[in-house]
Amino acid sequence: MGSAEIHPPAGLACPRFPDDLAAFMSYPVNGSCPDDEPLAQRLLLRGCEPLPRRRCRPAAPPDPAAPLPLPDALWTLPPDRSVHCDVLLAADPVGSVRIGLDIGGGSGTFAVRMRERNVTIVSTTMNLNGPFSSFMAARGVVPLYLSVSQRLPFFDNTLDLVHSMHVLSNWIPTTLLHFTLFDIYRVLRPGGLFWLDHFFFVEPQMGEYVPVIDCVGFKKLRWEVGRKLDRGPELREMYISALLQKPLKNSW
């Protein structure tokens, strides 16, 4: 397979941003790395994925706290009155959801809720407006530093569940959304569930997004469309929340 010779990858978009890339790769070998945030994050969001590896030591917090044992009162959650149980009961067969992915996991609450039900979830996150990766790790769940433009690092037909809340929305270019939905379909096992939670858009865009979702090939178990009213009804903002299933048979 040619594995004796390894060529370190760098994303195709990396050379488009030479100044940022040069700053990222300017460091003394065996010394300290330039700050990874926001520099690396800016490159990731521009499609420079995967980033080149570096031979340097990143800065650590000046006074790092030890991880807290689990369970701990700091992470105690209020009673769960959400629809998590309903989603798990929709699995075929019931009880077959064991591992999954949360796209844009924020502070990791979805992964923590699923852990209560013996489901292992890894969560993609970017540190936009907060140290979400560190916060997730402190809660004892796994943060995956990954943007939506990158191919999901899982083999075909492996995951039982993929969840996304608020992240997959109309801020993503439609073609990129199309790629992302097919990649979610790829990594789900036959019968696996895709929980598209609060997909945000503006009412005139309904005709644009529904065909994109429909063409992927998911079976609709639940499909709800509702108004988003927090900024006022005059903006005509809406949500789609859907529970979709990759077919058990003929899923290619």
Side-chain angles (χ1 to χ4, degrees):
M1 296 180 68
S3 59
E5 184 177 351
I6 297 175
H7 301 275
L12 180 64
C14 292
R16 296 181 58 196
F17 309 101
D19 293 340
D20 285 343
L21 187 61
F24 182 77
M25 296 301 292
S26 298
Y27 61 88
V29 175
N30 301 328
S32 299
C33 295
D35 187 8
D36 224 25
E37 184 185 348
L39 182 60
Q41 191 156 272
R42 186 162 64 242
L43 285 166
L44 288 170
L45 289 171
R46 290 174 171 178
C48 178
E49 298 182 276
L51 287 172
R53 284 178 170 175
R54 301 189 291 187
R55 294 181 290 165
C56 54
R57 287 179 290 275
D63 188 21
L68 293 169
L70 294 173
D72 187 275
L74 180 60
W75 308 125
T76 298
L77 292 168
D80 186 5
R81 299 183 178 89
S82 69
V83 296
H84 293 75
C85 289
D86 294 338
V87 170
L88 296 179
L89 289 173
D92 188 8
V94 174
S96 61
V97 174
R98 309 148 300 153
I99 56 173
L101 169 70
D102 188 16
I103 298 175
S107 62
T109 296
F110 179 78
V112 173
R113 287 292 192 198
M114 289 293 102
R115 185 177 61 196
E116 294 174 342
R117 295 167 174 80
N118 298 317
V119 179
T120 300
I121 298 289
V122 297
S123 305
T124 72
T125 184
M126 301 292 288
N127 282 13
L128 298 175
N129 303 318
F132 294 110
S133 293
S134 299
F135 193 82
M136 278 192 197
R139 301 183 79 177
V141 293
V142 180
L144 197 63
Y145 196 44
L146 197 70
S147 80
V148 294
S149 64
Q150 186 172 349
R151 187 177 193 261
L152 294 173
F154 303 99
F155 195 67
D156 302 0
N157 304 307
T158 53
L159 299 183
D160 302 314
L161 174 68
V162 175
H163 171 261
S164 174
M165 183 174 183
H166 295 299
V167 174
L168 297 184
S169 291
N170 69 347
W171 69 275
I172 300 175
T174 303
T175 301
L176 175 57
L177 176 66
H178 201 194
F179 275 106
T180 302
L181 293 175
F182 270 103
D183 206 26
I184 291 169
Y185 188 93
R186 177 185 65 82
V187 300
L188 281 171
R189 63 166 173 82
L193 300 175
F194 173 36
W195 185 0
L196 181 61
D197 197 356
H198 287 78
F199 179 94
F200 165 77
F201 61 101
V202 181
E203 187 174 1
Q205 297 175 315
M206 174 81 80
E208 177 181 357
Y209 290 121
V210 172
V212 169
I213 298 171
D214 283 346
C215 75
V216 178
F218 289 110
K219 175 183 177 182
K220 293 179 181 177
L221 302 182
R222 294 193 64 176
W223 180 275
E224 303 288 343
V225 178
R227 295 284 179 183
K228 181 177 181 293
L229 301 174
D230 57 309
R231 299 200 303 165
E234 65 278 3
L235 296 180
R236 302 174 67 191
E237 295 175 329
M238 303 189 74
Y239 280 128
I240 290 175
S241 288
L243 184 60
L244 308 172
Q245 184 180 46
K246 182 173 178 175
L248 273 167
K249 297 182 178 180
N250 301 324
S251 55
W252 55 89

